[in-house]
Amino acid sequence: MTGPSTVPAQAGSFFPDVRNIRANIGGWAQLSVVQYFVAEAAVIQAWAGPEPYSRATGYISDLGAVSCGVYEDRAVCSPLHVLMNASFVVQGLALILGALFLTAGLLCVAAKPGVAARRFRSVAVDSAAARVLTVPWILAVAIRILTGVAGVGTVLVGLVPEDLDSPWHFAGALMFFIGGGFALLLLGILWFRQTPVSWFLGVCGLLCIAALIIGGLTGMEVPLPGLLERFMGYPVTIGLAAAGLVVAQRVHTERKAARLRMGSH
């Protein structure tokens, strides 16, 4: 990717360095969000409410509630709430790192080796040449912004538990669902025909957005609100982790190839 290319890059194109430490940190940081599922399982096992916690009916935020008692007609008691909220914060910080370290150029080429990232293209405007940003570049920038929004939202969820009765908790959850869902949808479009993972990412994004719309229309007044909320959140965590895996694998492959080239000289 960073070595000599037999095909000259078009104007406005360049070959991002996918072997640098920044790309490696960004990919692994985004992949690390799967730690959430380990933390959630541990917190559920320690649940001390009058009824066993159910993923189908219990809200995710109940696991991070600081106090034991009745909250919005639900009896909640989560002794390991500190672990749950810490997991939210760590997950959010990982997404923020991914948004900062995975550049637009890297996202454009991460799923397709040997292709240059193209930032702009030339167009004719009133008999004069002008440069406009390409669609893939715009998508990549939007993905970074949306991923960062999702990360900030998750941090807010962890720092402001639901039973503090702060609007920031609800706002943070919406930021995670909306930012993460649309980031996955755009990433699926960006990587379309570059990797089969693009279909998986697109489906994860659509599941999240569809569940979010249903939740908004019903006010979460459904038989299984916990399941509906998990259809909003789980696809985001799984999808963004899968995207991080694609990047991490690409970085590993490029580094391995570079070491082999150096060893052959």
Side-chain angles (χ1 to χ4, degrees):
M1 195 65 191
T2 56
S5 174
T6 57
V7 181
Q10 293 177 297
S13 301
F14 66 100
F15 291 91
D17 182 7
V18 299
R19 296 178 305 178
N20 60 31
I21 188 65
R22 175 175 177 172
N24 201 30
I25 293 175
W28 282 104
Q30 198 152 302
L31 177 59
S32 73
V33 298
V34 294
Q35 56 80 24
Y36 163 82
F37 294 108
V38 177
E40 184 193 51
V43 176
I44 289 175
Q45 286 297 314
W47 181 261
E51 298 291 336
Y53 183 88
S54 169
R55 287 184 173 89
T57 58
Y59 285 89
I60 297 174
S61 293
D62 290 348
L63 297 172
V66 176
S67 304
C68 293
V70 177
Y71 181 77
E72 293 185 351
D73 299 326
R74 302 190 305 275
V76 300
C77 190
S78 182
L80 290 185
H81 60 270
V82 172
L83 174 60
M84 191 74 262
N85 291 323
S87 176
F88 289 140
V89 173
V90 170
Q91 181 184 32
L93 292 176
L95 293 180
I96 292 172
L97 275 178
L100 292 174
F101 283 19
L102 300 181
T103 64
L106 174 62
L107 289 176
C108 286
V109 305
K112 194 172 184 179
V115 176
R118 195 175 184 190
R119 182 185 290 111
F120 63 83
R121 60 186 177 86
S122 298
V123 296
V125 179
D126 296 331
S127 301
R131 299 190 305 181
V132 297
L133 294 175
T134 61
V135 172
W137 189 268
I138 294 173
L139 288 177
V141 171
I143 290 165
R144 294 184 67 194
I145 294 172
L146 290 168
T147 302
V149 168
V152 172
T154 315
V155 170
L156 285 175
V157 169
L159 294 179
V160 187
E162 67 174 8
D163 55 340
L164 294 186
D165 292 321
S166 170
W168 286 109
H169 181 87
F170 181 70
L174 283 182
M175 289 169 66
F176 175 68
F177 298 144
I178 295 174
F182 280 100
L184 288 173
L185 189 58
L186 295 184
L187 194 53
I189 296 172
L190 179 64
W191 288 353
F192 182 61
R193 292 182 179 175
Q194 296 185 15
T195 171
V197 177
S198 65
W199 290 96
F200 177 72
L201 300 179
V203 169
C204 285
L206 288 174
L207 280 175
C208 170
I209 295 168
L212 187 61
I213 292 173
I214 294 172
L217 293 176
T218 63
M220 297 300 290
E221 296 293 333
V222 295
L224 302 174
L227 183 62
L228 180 60
E229 187 184 30
R230 281 169 170 80
F231 268 112
M232 300 177 196
Y234 281 10
V236 173
T237 301
I238 295 171
L240 291 177
L245 179 61
V246 170
V247 175
Q249 286 182 330
R250 178 67 189 283
V251 172
H252 174 73
T253 300
E254 293 291 339
R255 286 188 164 189
K256 183 177 180 181
R259 287 195 297 268
L260 291 176
R261 287 195 298 267
M262 291 179 62
S264 64
H265 292 316

